[in-house]
Amino acid sequence: MKENKNISGKPDKAVRVTKPYLPPLEEFQDYLRDIWDSRWLTNNGKYHQEFEKALCEYLGVKYISLFPNGTLALLIALQALRITGEVLTTPFSFVATTHALWWNNIKPVFVDIESDTFNFNPTKIEAAITPQTTAILPVHIYGNPCKVEIIKKIADTYGLKIIYDACHTFGVTINDIPVLKYGDLSVMSFHATKVFTTFEGGAIVCHDEATKRRIDNLKNFGFAGETTVVAPGINAKMNEFQAALGLLQLKYIDKAIEKRKQVACHYREGLKNISGISYLEDMPDVKHCYAYFPVLIDVDKFGKTRDDVYEELKRHNIYGRRYFYPLISQFPTYRGLESAQPGIMPVAERVTQKVICLPIYPELRIKTVNQICQAILGYS
Ligand code: T4K
């Protein structure tokens, strides 16, 4: 394996929270040459079309629209369903989830999370619904599925749409059913830090042809033909280079997820029975993608805070990340909202103080995983 170099060209020994899994460069060069020769670079090109089809097959869904990143896909998902007013969402996510609401002039209403999954808590939905509520935007955080059946039941009762932020999931299934089949729409990210990457990238999964057409129009300035514009759309098209990488990545993704699983299993083994350290187990009947490996540090039992551990790991050249700290509702941009007030979301407030995501990626050596566990153990 080649050694990584840092920006100044020196060997980079740091172990970071993630590292993109890339196919052999020679294989990508064939695609590059083809794109170069064809001079067709974007706008629903050959590889875009092939990738959409191949991705539908791989993920077991009917309709996918590709995007240049997950954030634009979230923005368009909300536009496509004409969501307005208030939307219930989680404060425990990457800030893009809530930003997408704000950019659409929608008021986010934060709802607490569950203590065992860190996902949006469905038992808190009904109390947060108002006459202005039009939709729910939960996140399958760390790739672990939300309680999709319960959320659907509540949404159906109140006539609400569901858009899942599925930016952490790839190939995740519940009882062999793709998690992407739930909700009116699901939004994916193929950013460099994700399980499946197209450099930057994203997608919306929908379940009927008319919605797919509307999404495709919206991402192409609203054009519904050469001379007709049916909506104030935007430019949110994935280019041919991203699509070609996506096609190639599909060949390797199963192997990559299997390697992530091995890393997760070794962490669980290395960190088990340590007072004050807890982590998520695999959920029954779920096929996971092992996007992140979050660990909670309980200061009373472990004797050190999460931030102590974070700093200690840095001294070992190991860069975990405090995903997701602070809560979105604690950022100055959002903390004025009624639903963001301190004390309203006790679980999220507790988890955000305790969580650290340890490095996980397919090329992470088991030897390194053991060293990370030892660094934590030796610090208690
Ligand atoms: N919804 C959710 C739930 C999300 O998590 C995200 C994105 C979105 C929506 C929006 O999707 P996108 O519009 O991004 O497609 C990263 C990512 O930028 C962001 O995509 C991701 N979530 C978020 C959780 O993490 P940072 O600021 O933590 O990334 P950064 O640059 O610090 O990278 C983290 C580590 O990854 C680095 O220390 C090393 C490694 N890395 C990173 C890059 C960019 C590489 O090895 N190579 C790379 O090219 O936000």
Side-chain angles (χ1 to χ4, degrees), residues 16-20 69-71 74 93-94 96-97 139 165 167-168 189-194 200-201 292 321 323-324:
R16 301 184 197 283
V17 70
T18 189
K19 188 194 274 186
N69 58 60
T71 305
L74 276 169
S93 179
F94 189 59
T97 311
V139 181
D165 179 330
C167 286
H168 295 177
S189 167
F190 309 141
H191 183 259
T193 55
K194 296 294 190 276
E200 294 256 8
Y292 296 84
R321 288 294 289 267
Y323 295 133
F324 290 95

Side-chain angles (χ1 to χ4, degrees), residues 249-267:
Q249 293 283 49
L250 284 176
K251 267 174 66 180
Y252 296 95
I253 186 64
D254 287 339
K255 206 169 99 192
I257 293 176
E258 183 49 39
K259 290 200 163 172
R260 283 176 174 273
K261 182 176 180 174
Q262 287 168 15
V263 171
C265 290
H266 272 83
Y267 271 130

Side-chain angles (χ1 to χ4, degrees), residues 217 220-231:
N217 293 343
N220 185 28
F221 309 99
F223 276 109
E226 201 179 321
T227 54
T228 314
V229 170
V230 292

